[in-house]
Amino acid sequence: ALTSARAAGTVVDPVAIRTRAAHEDEWRDVWKQFFRATRVGRRFTVRPSWDAGEAPAGEFVIDLDPGMAFGTGAHPSTRLAIALAEELREERPGLHRVLDLGCGSGILSIVAARLWPEAAGLAVDNDPEASICAAENLERNHVATFEVRTDTLAGVAGRFDLVMANIQADVLSALAPELPARLAENGLLILSGLLLEQVEPLLAVFLDAGFALEARADEDEWGAVCLRRIPEPW
């Protein structure tokens, strides 16, 4: 950062750098100041435990404490995934199995449980702290239809009608060859966490892996896509 500043002609010298150890509670207390009850998508209100304001009538309310895990509904990548899920609900009201891959705080699992209350779900994350956080949030929202595990896609068995993954583009690209085997025939895949310049290259990877584009949504510098698994030829 200092090298870039000097190259731009900014006077930064002399430089003094100090470090100190800080407990994670200090970080948590600071970011809580900026997480307030927020409306997300068409009918979801996400509210933290410390700002449980009133939600409009007819809203799906998600009570969330993300802890150290990603997913408050404030980031465009989460909002885009929720928006695509809401659109999908209009076309596919009867999903049976849902996988939330890289579940973080569990917010997408809760969204899926609200949109498809009859579906059985699985939420997995390779970070134990995230899976613990997701389990707590699912319990907080009285979601009993989702199992939570610390795991990776390789440890997931069976096929799903919908897989949601709000993860970095490079991780998604690496998972592309494995995902068709986890989806039912004409199963759907929502991918988010993509910068706009990453959408087209990632689409090419997934189209080659046996998917077709169903929908795309963009917000600011972020993009998300909904893909359909193409049935295998007989």
Side-chain angles (χ1 to χ4, degrees):
L2 290 169
T3 300
S4 298
R6 292 187 186 106
T10 304
V11 177
V12 295
D13 298 298
V15 175
I17 298 175
R18 293 176 302 210
T19 63
R20 70 176 178 87
H23 193 273
E24 67 178 35
D25 287 345
E26 188 175 340
W27 173 84
R28 292 184 183 187
D29 289 340
V30 170
W31 74 259
K32 282 180 179 180
Q33 300 174 28
F34 304 96
F35 180 23
R36 293 287 181 256
T38 308
R39 193 168 192 272
V40 182
R42 299 176 189 172
R43 47 184 171 170
F44 284 94
T45 293
V46 182
R47 60 186 187 184
S49 56
W50 55 91
D51 186 28
E54 291 293 324
E59 288 280 289
F60 287 132
V61 176
I62 299 176
D63 291 306
L64 199 72
D65 189 344
M68 298 285 284
F70 178 80
T72 64
H75 194 274
S77 65
T78 308
R79 291 200 297 266
L80 289 169
I82 292 172
L84 288 174
E86 287 184 305
E87 289 180 13
L88 182 58
R89 173 62 177 77
E90 304 302 318
E91 302 171 15
R92 298 279 191 99
L95 300 185
H96 301 292
R97 295 194 75 205
V98 177
L99 172 64
D100 182 1
L101 183 61
C103 62
S105 69
I107 185 172
L108 294 183
S109 295
I110 299 168
V111 166
R114 296 287 186 265
L115 295 175
W116 295 280
E118 303 301 322
L122 174 62
V124 299
D125 202 294
N126 62 4
D127 181 352
E129 184 157 357
S131 56
I132 291 171
C133 176
E136 291 173 348
N137 282 318
L138 289 171
E139 183 177 0
R140 183 177 284 114
N141 288 273
H142 310 291
V143 174
T145 53
F146 267 71
E147 175 192 354
V148 182
R149 293 208 312 252
T150 302
D151 212 334
T152 64
L153 183 62
V156 174
R159 292 179 181 265
F160 298 84
D161 299 299
L162 171 64
V163 175
M164 301 178 293
N166 182 9
I167 318 176
Q168 303 97 302
D170 58 333
V171 177
L172 291 172
S173 182
L175 292 173
E178 301 176 51
L179 280 165
R182 301 298 189 277
L183 280 159
E185 186 172 313
N186 287 313
L188 293 150
L189 177 62
I190 292 176
L191 303 178
S192 194
L194 315 173
L195 293 168
L196 290 180
E197 62 266 24
Q198 296 171 332
V199 174
E200 291 299 330
L202 190 75
L203 266 179
V205 171
F206 275 85
L207 295 181
D208 287 343
F211 290 90
L213 178 63
E214 289 285 298
R216 173 175 173 172
D218 298 336
E219 182 181 338
D220 298 330
E221 59 182 341
W222 297 90
V225 294
C226 180
L227 307 172
R228 177 177 54 85
R229 175 179 170 259
I230 300 173
E232 298 173 5
W234 293 99

